Amino acid sequence: MTARPKLTLRLCEPRGFCAGVDRAIQIVVLAIKKHGAPVYVRHEIVHNRYVVEGLRAKGAIFIEELSEIPPEHRDRPVVFSAHGVPKSVPEDAEERSLFYLDATCPLVSKVHKQAMRHRRLGRHVLLIGHAGHPEVIGTMGQLPEGEVTLVETENDADKLAFSDDVSLGFVTQTTLSVDDTAGIIARLKQRFPHMEAPAAESICYATTNRQDAVKQAAEGCDLFLIVGAPNSSNSRRLVEVAERSGAKLAKLVQQADEIEWWDRLGDGALVGLSAGASAPEIIVDAIIESFRERFDVTVDIALAMEENETFPVMRALRDVELTPADMAFVNGAA
């Protein structure tokens, strides 16, 4: 029998679900347990197809607008996604007499509060983020139209024109590249020295930690795989970080069957593996198993830091027991 080629799998920690994503998924699961199916979810609860399909199988119906809820289901719960929503969305829900559960990540809510604080103090808000991302839409929707200016790049920062008597304050999308954002902030401060920072860091701990872990692990990797969806901002940023930090090739994959680079990995190859904050561990496990089927695998843990943050669900759902079996579709068997 021919010996399988050796391969080292450098597995990043932390990786995968952050506390905000975990909480949002739990909210949908608990709402279905408490109220029965269907439970409506406005937008993807998190940006991961596997998670969405798993919740759909449990009884969730995903919609983009509240108007899609049929009249006979107006008494059903509707959950707002972890990315946050403009103020107009809960207002619309109340006008329609809908029962809604807001699964906005607490760290996104913190950015909303920071933006509103800037406005309360008389500052025009500069939001560093990606146009069209649900989180950006939600943050801009906390303030009246025209009171937030989106800045995507350093080039955008160069094009801004504000008179000296305009007070400015900035916030950022929570899932950005730490390094890219630092460059944009530096350019803004150069142009507008009196611009005020938010009261606390906007980029969330999970984004920073996952990027730090990938930076630490990428050097010397023949291939670096990031588990995540194409519309997941934090997952795409991890691919960029891996490329910048020394990986020869970095790719975003949603599941194990998307990996097509086996033939590029010779004996003794080094492969990095991490997952975006909305990617379930059960997919990471499946990818590791796929490598074991083809290679003699040694797993090397690249530990950047330990995470122990948790965010409780809202009081309306705390009377429902959440069991390991309820979350096995994303976490695997206990």
Side-chain angles (χ1 to χ4, degrees):
M1 181 177 178
T2 304
R4 290 176 298 172
K6 294 183 180 298
L7 180 140
T8 298
L9 196 59
R10 188 174 285 170
L11 186 61
C12 289
E13 291 186 5
R15 64 179 180 276
F17 282 176
C18 62
V21 163
D22 200 32
R23 173 181 179 269
I25 297 169
Q26 289 178 20
I27 287 170
V28 179
V29 171
L30 290 171
I32 294 170
K33 286 190 74 172
K34 182 170 183 174
H35 299 284
V39 166
Y40 287 85
V41 183
R42 185 186 180 277
H43 191 65
E44 293 184 345
I45 187 68
V46 296
H47 283 160
N48 187 275
R49 185 177 64 194
Y50 183 94
V51 172
V52 168
E53 292 303 321
L55 291 172
R56 185 175 280 125
K58 287 179 176 289
I61 296 177
F62 290 85
I63 58 174
E64 288 302 312
E65 299 298 339
L66 300 182
S67 59
E68 296 174 45
I69 299 175
E72 63 270 22
H73 282 172
R74 291 293 171 86
D75 62 336
R76 307 305 303 156
V78 57
V79 181
F80 300 155
S81 80
H83 311 99
V85 295
K87 281 186 174 180
S88 59
V89 173
E91 291 171 357
D92 184 24
E94 289 170 5
E95 288 179 4
R96 296 173 184 273
S97 298
L98 298 175
F99 168 46
Y100 66 87
L101 298 165
D102 190 351
T104 299
C105 172
L107 299 181
V108 174
S109 296
K110 184 180 74 172
V111 174
H112 293 177
K113 293 173 183 175
Q114 291 168 348
M116 290 187 284
R117 178 177 180 271
H118 280 318
R119 178 176 182 251
R120 189 171 66 250
L121 295 173
R123 302 166 189 157
H124 181 83
V125 178
L126 302 178
L127 170 59
I128 302 170
H130 297 301
H133 190 280
E135 183 184 328
V136 166
I137 294 170
T139 300
M140 295 186 76
Q142 302 307 304
L143 302 181
E145 187 173 352
E147 298 205 8
V148 182
T149 297
L150 182 63
V151 182
E152 295 191 80
T153 64
E154 292 184 31
N155 188 46
D156 287 346
D158 289 336
K159 295 177 180 178
L160 294 176
F162 292 102
S163 59
D164 293 340
D165 61 343
V166 175
S167 296
L168 299 173
F170 78 88
V171 294
T172 78
Q173 184 180 331
T174 63
T175 56
L176 299 178
S177 161
V178 175
D179 295 335
D180 288 348
T181 306
I184 296 171
I185 293 172
R187 186 67 61 88
L188 287 170
K189 287 182 176 178
Q190 184 180 30
R191 293 208 57 217
F192 308 107
H194 301 297
M195 178 185 69
E196 295 289 340
E201 174 63 62
S202 293
I203 296 177
C204 83
Y205 77 91
T207 298
T208 301
N209 290 351
R210 279 149 191 71
Q211 290 180 18
D212 285 346
V214 169
K215 286 179 184 178
Q216 176 179 304
E219 181 64 35
C221 284
D222 299 291
L223 171 66
F224 210 111
L225 296 177
I226 302 297
V227 182
N231 60 340
S232 168
S233 175
N234 78 88
S235 299
R236 295 201 310 272
R237 300 295 81 74
L238 290 176
V239 174
E240 296 167 0
V241 169
E243 291 173 337
R244 294 174 183 173
S245 301
K248 295 177 184 176
L249 177 68
K251 291 289 185 179
L252 183 70
V253 295
Q254 296 191 77
Q255 297 199 57
D257 60 10
E258 292 183 11
I259 301 173
E260 300 173 349
W261 311 283
W262 306 114
D263 57 343
R264 302 190 190 184
L265 301 173
D267 190 44
L270 175 60
V271 176
L273 178 61
S274 188
S278 51
E281 187 66 12
I282 196 169
I283 297 179
V284 175
D285 291 341
I287 288 174
I288 294 172
E289 184 58 32
S290 292
F291 275 101
R292 292 192 188 281
E293 291 171 359
R294 295 166 172 83
F295 299 90
D296 179 5
V297 173
T298 299
V299 176
D300 174 26
I301 302 297
L303 176 63
M305 68 286 296
E306 294 184 1
E307 288 181 353
N308 52 21
E309 287 83 358
T310 59
F311 297 141
V313 301
M314 62 278 295
R315 287 188 178 86
L317 296 176
R318 291 180 194 172
D319 60 335
V320 185
E321 181 186 8
L322 185 73
T323 68
D326 293 327
M327 298 294 286
F329 75 105
V330 287
N331 295 335

